[in-house]
């Protein structure tokens, strides 16, 4: 798993660091990855707590979320990726060289989180494409 997830609000931005920039520690990476996962989970849970019967529609496979609600879910995933990418760019100097190279290509960055072809399987009967 890509270590850029460690930056989910757990470390200072590179411009705020002392002149002696230190690489991320393993503990910071683990903490950041956990924070990213928990933040995504919390946002999806909070979103789901407000669902109403009219947020669903019938399809040939049964009930599914309507288009607006599917877009909201995809927006949550996109926001997390966007935020993490921004933090990665801001903290580039603290990243290992291999991870610095990954943020040069946004598609590689997204795929480094395990999203093959930038597709998120939401486990809710639809996929989201991240950009």
């Amino acid at each position: 798993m890509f270590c850029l997830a460690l930056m989910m609000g757990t470390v200072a931005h590179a411009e705020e660091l002392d002149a002696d920039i230190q690489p991320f520690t393993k503990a910071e990476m683990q903490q950041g990855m956990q924070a990213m996962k928990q933040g995504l989970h919390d946002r999806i849970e909070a979103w789901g707590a407000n669902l109403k019967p009219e947020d669903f529609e019938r399809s040939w496979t049964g009930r599914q979320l309507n288009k607006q609600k599917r877009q909201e879910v995809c927006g949550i995933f996109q926001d997390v990726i966007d935020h993490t990418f921004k933090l990665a760019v801001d903290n580039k100097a603290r990243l290992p060289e291999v991870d610095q190279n990954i943020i040069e290509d946004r598609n590689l960055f997204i795929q480094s989180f395990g999203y093959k072809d930038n597709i998120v399987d939401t486990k809710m009967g639809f996929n989201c494409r991240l950009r």
Side-chain angles (χ1 to χ4, degrees), residues 45-58:
E45 286 294 316
W47 171 87
N50 296 314
L51 288 175
K52 300 176 183 107
E54 58 267 16
D55 295 329
F56 295 87
E57 60 191 18
R58 294 243 180 248

Side-chain angles (χ1 to χ4, degrees), residues 67-102:
K67 183 177 180 178
Q68 177 186 346
K69 292 300 177 181
R70 292 191 306 265
Q71 289 174 338
E72 288 175 10
V73 169
C74 292
I76 292 170
F77 281 98
Q78 187 67 57
D79 287 347
V80 170
I81 288 295
D82 291 345
H83 179 71
T84 305
F85 186 75
K86 182 186 180 322
L87 289 172
V89 170
D90 289 350
N91 288 283
K92 184 176 180 178
R94 292 191 67 199
L95 295 172
E97 187 175 335
V98 67
D99 290 341
Q100 290 181 19
N101 294 334
I102 289 174

Side-chain angles (χ1 to χ4, degrees), residues 20-77:
D20 185 28
I21 297 174
Q22 298 296 315
F24 287 112
T25 65
K26 185 174 182 175
E28 284 177 310
M29 286 189 254
Q30 290 172 337
Q31 180 184 8
M33 188 62 121
Q34 183 59 37
M36 184 189 87
K37 288 178 183 177
Q38 190 62 49
L40 178 61
H41 175 78
D42 291 349
R43 286 187 64 187
I44 294 290
E45 286 294 316
W47 171 87
N50 296 314
L51 288 175
K52 300 176 183 107
E54 58 267 16
D55 295 329
F56 295 87
E57 60 191 18
R58 294 243 180 248
S59 74
W60 62 275
T61 59
R63 283 179 35 142
Q64 70 175 16
L65 289 168
N66 64 34
K67 183 177 180 178
Q68 177 186 346
K69 292 300 177 181
R70 292 191 306 265
Q71 289 174 338
E72 288 175 10
V73 169
C74 292
I76 292 170
F77 281 98

